[in-house]
Amino acid sequence: MPALWYWLILLLPVISFGLISVVMKPFVSNNSKLPGYVTILCIAGSFVLSCLALAEVIGAHEHVVEIPNIPWLQIGTFDFNVSMIMDSLTAVMLVTV
């Protein structure tokens, strides 16, 4: 599973919130069902990716998948990287929640 998919598990609900509140709310009427469909689609996508992550963690050595670092902030010689470790507890909690 590509590393981006692990980040999409967390980012899809945030993308849904931003898309609905910034783009759809001003332009779509209050009676429209489109924002609800976008929310359901993003949450369902996050759930499917969580299930795929759980399957990969179960098959991984020592039930741990290390996701590569992402450089988030670089100021001069200071580097701030964001990383993630997907272990069995994390994967089960992602599917449960």
Side-chain angles (χ1 to χ4, degrees), residues 48-92:
V48 168
L49 290 174
S50 297
C51 291
L52 291 173
L54 178 64
E56 187 166 336
V57 166
I58 288 172
H61 178 67
E62 295 184 6
H63 301 293
V64 175
V65 175
E66 293 187 26
I67 294 97
N69 291 343
I70 294 177
W72 186 63
L73 180 65
Q74 296 177 347
I75 301 173
T77 60
F78 177 74
D79 291 333
F80 185 76
N81 296 322
V82 179
S83 63
M84 183 187 312
I85 295 178
M86 184 72 63
D87 60 354
S88 57
L89 177 63
T90 305
V92 169

Side-chain angles (χ1 to χ4, degrees), residues 13-33:
V14 175
I15 291 169
S16 170
F17 169 74
L19 185 67
I20 290 170
S21 63
V22 174
V23 176
M24 289 187 182
K25 188 70 173 171
F27 302 111
V28 177
S29 70
N30 288 339
N31 296 331
S32 177
K33 293 182 180 181

Side-chain angles (χ1 to χ4, degrees), residues 32-44:
S32 177
K33 293 182 180 181
L34 184 61
Y37 293 145
V38 170
T39 301
I40 290 170
L41 181 68
C42 287
I43 297 299

